[in-house]
Amino acid sequence: KTILFLAMGALCMSIVAPLRAATIFNNSVNDLKLRFDPGTYEVGDEIILAGTDRWLTGFDFEYWGTNTANPTTFAGAVKAQVKLYLNNGPLVPNVPNGYPSPQYVLYDSGVFSLDSATTERRTEVFTVADFPGGVPLFIPADDITWSIQFSGLGTGDSVGLDLYSPPVVGGDYPDYWQNNGTSWSLLTNTVPMDFGARFYANAAIPEPSMVTLSIMGGLGLLTLARRLRRKE
């Protein structure tokens, strides 16, 4: 995977957190001035949420995009898809301690279009309105993986993620997940592969629906393996 060094000074995300929501993860301060180009692979960052508020009200992440021939516009109709996972899948082979891979999908944004303009940095923001039913999303674990997959790249287009480390709220593992279309691999680099992102949540539980109760009941049966990797 490609790492590009940034000569520019640190620029942090500036979108204001949702009103009354607690910040349960913030990796947008300690800018490594590095960029990660995942191509069209789905890549994921496994993170540790802080506090106890678990009704997700929103999240955001940073991305960059360039074109070798045109400094202002992508050649293709560039798209992205974001997912939130529980790490309750098959253990990754040939990895000490047998870390469980991402499996249960808590949230799937579906494929959405990115701005047609290239960007040094842009923050993509998700709010409650983007969640099913327009209500906060319950996160039944402290340890989750958020992933992104870019598509629709044209000739000369590159899109990727800004790297920050360490987070100032919550924790982050220095490796990252990559899905080849059939299975996940756990990969490392010479620098912490911690994607720039922030998550917000409330402690209050919305009026429960039958769907919510059903999901919570099913998730209550899951036992997640504890990982031994050092938290960043």
Side-chain angles (χ1 to χ4, degrees), residues 147-227:
S147 78
I148 187 164
Q149 184 170 22
F150 297 106
S151 60
L153 278 66
T155 302
D157 289 338
S158 295
V159 186
L161 302 161
D162 292 308
L163 300 181
Y164 291 77
S165 188
V168 294
V169 179
D172 207 333
Y173 297 109
D175 46 26
Y176 70 103
W177 292 98
Q178 178 175 289
N179 194 319
N180 63 9
T182 57
S183 62
W184 290 96
S185 298
L186 191 59
L187 305 177
T188 60
N189 212 311
T190 56
V191 296
M193 297 298 291
D194 300 340
F195 310 158
R198 299 180 300 187
F199 285 71
Y200 311 103
N202 284 336
I205 300 176
E207 187 67 24
S209 66
M210 291 304 293
V211 173
T212 302
L213 291 174
S214 175
I215 293 174
M216 290 177 64
L219 293 177
L221 299 178
L222 296 175
T223 301
L224 300 181
R226 294 295 180 182
R227 305 216 293 176

Side-chain angles (χ1 to χ4, degrees), residues 53-106:
D53 295 353
R54 290 296 178 265
W55 287 97
L56 193 69
T57 58
F59 64 93
D60 53 60
F61 68 90
E62 268 190 18
Y63 74 93
W64 55 269
T66 63
N67 180 275
T68 54
N70 190 328
T72 61
T73 307
F74 290 123
V78 181
K79 297 176 172 60
Q81 183 173 10
V82 173
K83 295 180 182 180
L84 306 181
Y85 290 94
L86 288 181
N87 281 73
N88 64 326
L91 300 183
V92 178
N94 304 320
V95 175
N97 305 317
Y99 304 134
S101 58
Q103 183 177 61
Y104 187 92
V105 179
L106 295 165

